[in-house]
Amino acid sequence: MYLTIEETAQYLSVSVTYVEELILQGKIRVIHDSEGAVLIYKDQFKSHFQQLEKYKKLA
């Protein structure tokens, strides 16, 4: 599943500006559709959320 920048910001609970900065830094991979819209593959954050769950259990 692919998300827009705005949907990604909501999914990660961060600002749109922060998502845009991560894209520019190459920390979030994106693709562009035929109309030029930026799309972000949702599953690239799977390991991020798994790591957060591990840290919560350790705390």
Side-chain angles (χ1 to χ4, degrees), residues 25-42:
Q25 293 171 10
K27 294 183 179 179
I28 293 180
R29 295 173 305 217
V30 300
I31 62 168
H32 299 273
D33 70 5
S34 60
E35 298 172 2
V38 175
L39 298 174
I40 301 164
Y41 189 57
K42 184 178 179 180

Side-chain angles (χ1 to χ4, degrees), residues 3-30:
L3 304 171
T4 64
I5 292 175
E6 292 80 11
E7 292 168 336
T8 302
Q10 185 177 10
Y11 179 66
L12 298 175
S13 300
V14 297
S15 69
V16 170
T17 305
Y18 184 64
V19 172
E20 291 171 337
E21 289 173 16
L22 292 175
I23 292 169
L24 290 174
Q25 293 171 10
K27 294 183 179 179
I28 293 180
R29 295 173 305 217
V30 300

